[in-house]
């Protein structure tokens, strides 16, 4: 829109806005004319002079006309009101000139009309109208000049002079131009400010809408965000809403989809899921859905049951996987869902979300794809884990761990040829803590390196006592976590500490699991070669438990192959498992590796192992892990 058109639009709005002003003007003018009419009656009561009945009835008529227009309000067009006002003023001024000449109020009436033109009419029409009105005194001057109009002597000589009338015309023209210029400039400024204010207001409203959208809605899915969700739910809670279920939905495959197809494609998937959830809740006024950002959604469901919700989640999964097929995504879309009942299991929204997160963590850790309902035991487990984490930091610093040793036995000679060092930890509040539990917490808490150093140093400190007890021929195995194994300068630390304590590296065997190799095969190869060059043996632990062990054996030279317990449990009753075990042993032999069978608990397992080329066995059948030294 051009500036001229825009100003004209706002001029029309300005003219519309003058409607109320004109109505107030009409009622005021009506009252003033009524007062003027009453003044004409003064001679009637004072008996001085004569009553001017012409002006009396004119004033009463004009007052009635203005009051009538005021009563009609918007039923009379604005232009008609303005013309009525102008016509009445012209009539009064002309009548004043006829009756009183230049001594009356005619000139004042014309000035009033001119001001009205500039206030209520557009610029050009108002100027033209003002100039035309200004010539009325000239008409009277011409009439006087040609003796068409003769004023009584009592009105004075001035009225008989055409020059006086022409002078009044010139005065009105000058007045019209000056007042018009001033009023038009002021009005132009006002219209300009109105334009600016209108545009500013429009921008502010647009910005406010955008800000409100950002404040209350997720920009990707257009679903309510967490703040909007919490606001809505708090209102429902304040009204005493009960028997409600709250679900937290996590999209499991989004990170893989982003990696395969890009973040834009992943955003499309989240948007599509958001649309599905919007359609679901649109048909159910008692259900509220929101996006918590990223790949998580939350639902508030009233008047339902656990069974119905579980069925709905299954249908939701099936419906989406019909649309979002693995062929299209390159990966099957999966969901983790946690749920809780309000207010039975949580009284506040913060507590609801906290407990939903706890249940979601359980679903993540256990790879559960179905709906996981919150259980108070989950919270107790989290509290226990947190307490153990706090105490683990102290335990590492204060050297509280004990070392238990499990014997390794030569399957032919039945003699002890080695010991595996296993960390043990007990806490006064909880008693003995299993290694699976505390090592998992240590790994999650980024304590694995100081823990690994602590255990390594403790075993090195105990080696002289072990050699004196079992003989110099034994070897000590230590499990090294992947994180510790890849710790910068790991080899330098190990070799340096062994030299410091005067321990022969050939006594040690480091057991590493397959997960140490992820994305670090070349680095691991260098570390293993360096360790072996200093005499430390390296054992591939839990062989067969993963999927890529053979691939790693191609690249890295190991000294031992430790067969996972899962291959050994059923060798006495399953010919297939036995043949598989036998093949593993032959493979190890062909690569020059010793084979160690762990988790041996029954005699029949030994009898079958003796039919293979397995070298060493380890398990409860021979010995349990025993803490040999209570004090270091």
């Amino acid at each position: 829109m051009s500036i001229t058109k825009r100003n004209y639009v706002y001029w029309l709005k300005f003219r519309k806005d003058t409607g109320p002003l004109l109505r107030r003007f009409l009622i005021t003018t009506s009252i003033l004319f009524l007062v003027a009419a009453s003044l004409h009656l003064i001679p009637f009561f004072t008996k001085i002079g004569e009553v001017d009945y012409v002006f009396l009835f004119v004033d009463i008529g004009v007052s009635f006309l203005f009051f009538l227009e005021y009563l009609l309000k918007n039923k009379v067009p604005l232009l008609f009101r303005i013309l009525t006002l102008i016509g009445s003023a012209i009539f009064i001024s002309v009548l004043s000139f006829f009756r009183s000449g230049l001594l009356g109020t005619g000139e004042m009436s014309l000035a009033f009309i001119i001001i009205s033109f500039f206030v209520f009419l557009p610029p050009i029409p108002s100027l033209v109208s003002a100039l035309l009105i200004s010539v009325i005194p000239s008409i009277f001057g011409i009439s006087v000049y040609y003796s068409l109009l003769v004023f009584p002597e009592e009105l004075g000589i001035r009225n008989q002079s055409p020059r006086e009338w022409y002078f009044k015309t010139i005065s009105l023209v000058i007045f019209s131009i000056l007042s018009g210029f001033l009023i038009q400039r002021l009005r132009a400024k006002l219209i300009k400010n109105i334009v600016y204010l209108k545009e500013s207001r429009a921008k502010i409203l647009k910005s406010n809408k955008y800000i409100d959208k950002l404040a209350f809605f997720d920009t990707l899915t257009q679903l309510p965000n967490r703040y909007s969700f919490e606001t809505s739910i708090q209102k429902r809670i304040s009204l005493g809403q009960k028997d409600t279920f709250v679900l937290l939905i996590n999209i499991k495959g989004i990170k893989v989809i982003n990696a395969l197809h890009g973040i834009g494609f992943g955003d499309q998937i989240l948007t599509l899921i958001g649309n599905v959830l919007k359609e679901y809740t649109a048909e159910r006024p008692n259900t509220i859905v929101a996006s918590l950002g990223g790949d998580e959604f939350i639902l508030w469901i009233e008047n339902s049951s656990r069974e119905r919700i579980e069925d709905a989640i299954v249908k939701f999964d099936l419906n989406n996987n019909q649309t979002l097929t693995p062929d299209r995504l390159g990966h099957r879309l999966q969901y983790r869902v946690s749920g809780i009942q309000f207010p039975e299991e949580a009284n506040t929204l913060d507590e609801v979300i906290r407990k939903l997160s706890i249940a979601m963590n359980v679903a993540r850790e256990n790879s559960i794809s179905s709906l996981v309902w919150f259980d108070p035991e989950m919270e107790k487990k989290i509290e226990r884990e947190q307490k153990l984490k706090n105490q683990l930091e102290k335990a590492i610093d204060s050297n509280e761990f004990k070392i238990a040793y499990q014997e390794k036995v030569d399957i032919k000679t039945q003699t002890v040829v080695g010991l595996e060092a296993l960390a043990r930890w007990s806490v006064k509040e909880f008693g003995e803590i299993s290694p699976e539990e505390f090592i998992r917490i240590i790994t999650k808490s980024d304590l694995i390196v100081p823990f690994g150093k602590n255990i390594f140093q403790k075993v090195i400190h105990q080696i002289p006592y072990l050699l004196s007890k079992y003989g110099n021929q034994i070897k000590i195995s230590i499990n090294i976590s992947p994180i510790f194994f890849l710790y910068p300068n790991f080899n330098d630390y190990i070799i340096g500490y062994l030299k410091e304590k005067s321990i022969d590296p050939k006594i040690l065997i480091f057991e590493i699991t397959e997960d140490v190799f992820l994305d670090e095969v070349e680095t691991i190869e260098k570390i293993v070669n360096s360790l072996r060059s200093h005499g430390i043996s390296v054992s591939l632990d839990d062989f067969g438990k993963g999927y890529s062990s053979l691939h790693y054996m191609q690249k890295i030279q190991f000294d031992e192959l430790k067969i996972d317990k899962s291959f050994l449990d059923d060798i006495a009753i399953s010919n297939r498992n036995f043949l598989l075990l036998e093949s593993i042993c032959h493979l190890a032999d062909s690569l020059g590796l010793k084979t160690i069978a762990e988790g041996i608990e029954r005699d029949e397992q030994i009898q079958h192992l003796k039919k293979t080329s397995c070298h060493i066995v380890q398990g409860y059948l021979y010995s349990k892990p025993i803490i040999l030294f209570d004090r270091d």
Side-chain angles (χ1 to χ4, degrees):
M1 184 184 293
S2 66
I3 296 177
T4 304
K5 290 184 178 179
R6 184 173 57 188
N7 287 343
Y8 179 71
V9 169
Y10 283 110
W11 154 249
L12 294 177
K13 181 68 170 61
F14 171 79
R15 192 177 69 176
K16 182 179 179 182
D17 291 340
T18 59
L21 174 63
L22 182 58
R23 291 189 64 245
R24 289 194 291 270
F25 176 79
L26 288 172
I27 189 65
T28 304
T29 306
S30 176
I31 294 171
L32 290 175
F33 271 100
L34 195 61
V35 172
S38 64
L39 293 176
H40 288 295
L41 294 174
I42 293 176
F44 178 79
F45 295 103
T46 61
K47 306 300 181 180
I48 300 173
E50 296 180 357
V51 176
D52 191 339
Y53 288 101
V54 175
F55 273 99
L56 171 64
F57 290 112
V58 168
D59 288 345
I60 292 175
V62 173
S63 176
F64 175 76
L65 181 63
F66 286 168
F67 184 70
L68 182 63
E69 291 186 4
Y70 171 79
L71 292 178
L72 291 176
K73 298 181 180 179
N74 296 328
K75 295 180 181 179
V76 177
L78 178 64
L79 180 61
F80 181 76
R81 291 182 183 177
I82 293 173
L83 292 177
T84 302
L85 172 66
I86 294 171
S88 301
I90 292 174
F91 174 75
I92 293 171
S93 63
V94 171
L95 184 63
S96 175
F97 283 140
F98 272 116
R99 294 296 302 272
S100 306
L102 295 173
L103 299 177
T105 59
E107 189 177 0
M108 187 181 299
S109 299
L110 289 177
F112 168 76
I113 296 170
I114 291 169
I115 296 295
S116 301
F117 281 150
F118 288 117
V119 170
F120 295 109
L121 294 180
I124 300 302
S126 63
L127 181 60
V128 172
S129 300
L131 293 176
L132 290 175
I133 292 297
S134 298
V135 302
I136 290 177
S138 295
I139 296 173
F140 276 84
I142 293 171
S143 300
V144 170
Y145 179 78
Y146 288 104
S147 301
L148 299 176
L149 181 64
V150 179
F151 290 92
E153 292 182 2
E154 60 267 20
L155 292 180
I157 301 175
R158 291 177 59 212
N159 291 315
Q160 308 299 334
S161 171
R163 186 178 61 182
E164 290 291 334
W165 290 98
Y166 300 152
F167 177 76
K168 294 299 179 183
T169 298
I170 294 171
S171 298
L172 285 173
V173 169
I174 294 173
F175 174 78
S176 298
I177 294 173
L178 293 178
S179 60
F181 175 78
L182 178 61
I183 293 174
Q184 296 298 347
R185 288 297 301 270
L186 291 174
R187 187 166 62 184
K189 284 273 188 182
L190 180 59
I191 292 175
K192 184 178 180 181
N193 289 334
I194 290 174
V195 172
Y196 176 75
L197 290 174
K198 293 288 184 182
E199 291 177 346
S200 298
R201 184 171 180 270
K203 290 179 181 179
I204 291 171
L205 289 174
K206 186 176 180 180
S207 298
N208 287 342
K209 288 180 180 179
Y210 181 70
I211 291 171
D212 288 344
K213 192 173 182 181
L214 289 178
F216 295 100
F217 291 90
D218 177 64
T219 55
L220 179 62
T221 62
Q222 304 304 312
L223 287 171
N225 59 15
R226 179 168 182 162
Y227 174 77
S228 178
F229 177 80
E230 290 178 351
T231 303
S232 300
I233 299 309
Q234 290 293 359
K235 291 180 181 178
R236 299 202 177 206
I237 292 175
S238 64
L239 295 174
Q241 177 62 44
K242 296 184 180 296
D243 300 326
T244 300
F245 294 90
V246 188
L247 302 183
L248 182 64
I249 300 178
N250 174 262
I251 313 303
K252 185 179 179 182
I254 286 296
K255 290 183 179 179
V256 176
I257 291 171
N258 285 341
L260 292 174
H261 304 285
I263 295 176
F265 189 76
D267 288 346
Q268 291 179 25
I269 302 303
L270 291 173
T271 302
L272 185 58
I273 294 171
N275 290 335
V276 172
L277 291 172
K278 274 191 284 189
E279 291 177 5
Y280 176 81
T281 53
E283 301 171 357
R284 297 166 177 81
N286 292 327
T287 301
I288 299 175
V289 65
S291 171
L292 295 185
D295 55 1
E296 287 193 333
F297 302 87
I298 190 167
L299 284 91
W300 172 277
I301 305 173
E302 299 171 0
N303 304 324
S304 189
S305 65
R306 295 197 177 209
E307 293 75 15
R308 288 167 60 188
I309 289 174
E310 289 170 358
D311 290 342
I313 290 298
V314 171
K315 292 178 182 177
F316 175 76
D317 190 8
L318 292 175
N319 290 339
N320 276 300
N321 276 291
Q322 288 176 358
T323 305
L324 308 173
T325 61
D327 291 339
R328 178 182 175 187
L329 302 182
H331 185 275
R332 184 178 183 274
L333 199 64
Q334 293 180 308
Y335 309 89
R336 300 185 188 95
V337 186
S338 60
I340 193 170
Q341 188 170 1
F342 176 88
E344 284 77 4
E345 296 174 316
N347 294 320
T348 65
L349 187 57
D350 287 342
E351 189 178 5
V352 165
I353 294 177
R354 182 178 64 83
K355 291 184 176 181
L356 281 174
S357 299
I358 290 174
M360 183 60 71
N361 285 333
V362 172
R364 285 194 183 98
E365 290 179 1
N366 297 283
S367 299
I368 301 174
S369 298
S370 58
L371 193 154
V372 176
W373 293 103
F374 173 79
D375 189 298
E377 292 299 321
M378 297 176 182
E379 193 168 18
K380 292 179 181 178
K381 182 180 179 182
I382 295 291
E383 291 175 356
R384 171 187 169 94
E385 185 173 306
Q386 186 60 43
K387 288 181 179 179
L388 290 177
K389 176 186 173 183
N390 294 336
Q391 296 194 43
L392 274 167
E393 295 179 13
K394 299 176 183 177
I396 293 172
D397 292 337
S398 56
N399 204 21
E400 294 178 9
F401 292 95
K402 302 293 181 183
I403 305 298
Y405 293 94
Q406 187 175 32
E407 297 175 353
K408 293 181 177 181
V409 179
D410 187 295
I411 196 169
K412 294 181 178 179
T413 64
Q414 297 294 301
T415 58
V416 177
V417 294
L419 300 167
E420 181 178 1
L422 302 166
R424 294 293 182 264
W425 184 48
S426 63
V427 180
K428 186 176 181 180
E429 181 179 354
F430 301 109
E432 291 289 332
I433 310 298
S434 70
E436 290 79 7
E437 182 178 11
F438 71 73
I439 289 178
R440 178 178 56 83
I441 298 172
I442 286 173
T443 303
K444 287 171 59 178
S445 305
D446 295 328
L447 297 171
I448 196 68
V449 172
F451 169 77
K453 289 183 177 181
N454 183 282
I455 298 303
F456 173 73
Q457 292 173 8
K458 191 179 288 286
V459 171
I460 298 304
H461 178 72
Q462 293 178 355
I463 281 179
Y465 304 100
L466 295 172
L467 295 178
S468 64
K469 179 176 178 64
Y470 287 94
N472 294 329
Q473 79 286 352
I474 65 167
K475 287 196 170 187
I476 312 299
S477 298
I478 303 175
N479 290 286
I480 303 295
S481 76
I483 297 173
F484 186 31
F485 198 78
L486 292 169
Y487 185 71
N489 302 318
F490 171 78
N491 282 1
D492 294 339
Y493 164 75
I494 295 295
I495 302 304
Y497 194 81
L498 292 176
K499 288 181 178 179
E500 179 184 337
K501 300 299 179 182
S502 302
I503 298 297
D504 186 357
K506 295 181 180 179
I507 298 174
L508 292 178
I509 300 175
F510 284 166
E511 296 185 2
I512 57 177
T513 52
E514 181 181 304
D515 50 358
V516 76
F517 297 100
L518 296 178
D519 302 325
E520 298 286 352
V521 177
E522 293 181 0
T523 303
I524 297 299
E525 183 179 7
K526 293 178 182 178
I527 295 173
V528 170
N529 290 340
S530 177
L531 290 172
R532 296 183 74 247
S533 68
H534 287 88
I536 300 174
S537 299
V538 180
S539 174
L540 180 58
D541 197 7
D542 297 335
F543 179 82
K545 191 174 183 180
Y547 302 98
S548 306
S549 299
L550 290 174
H551 170 68
Y552 300 134
M553 289 172 65
Q554 281 183 312
K555 292 179 171 291
I556 301 172
Q557 178 64 51
F558 296 100
D559 297 285
E560 291 183 354
L561 195 66
K562 201 168 185 181
I563 304 171
D564 187 69
K565 184 177 182 295
S566 60
F567 281 92
L568 301 164
D569 287 338
D570 299 326
I571 57 173
I573 58 175
S574 171
N575 188 53
R576 184 183 182 86
N577 282 10
F578 174 75
L579 291 174
L580 187 57
L581 171 66
E582 192 174 34
S583 299
I584 293 172
C585 293
H586 285 311
L587 174 65
D589 286 343
S590 64
L591 295 174
L593 307 178
K594 289 184 179 179
T595 51
I596 302 174
E598 63 178 343
I600 303 303
E601 299 174 354
R602 302 183 303 276
D603 284 327
E604 55 267 28
Q605 290 175 300
I606 292 295
Q607 299 306 317
H608 280 74
L609 280 170
K610 286 182 177 179
K611 298 176 184 178
T612 70
S613 58
C614 181
H615 306 91
I616 301 170
V617 291
Q618 176 184 349
Y620 281 12
L621 182 64
Y622 293 95
S623 72
K624 294 182 179 181
I626 301 173
I627 297 175
L628 299 177
F629 312 103
D630 287 334
R631 294 182 180 179
D632 298 326

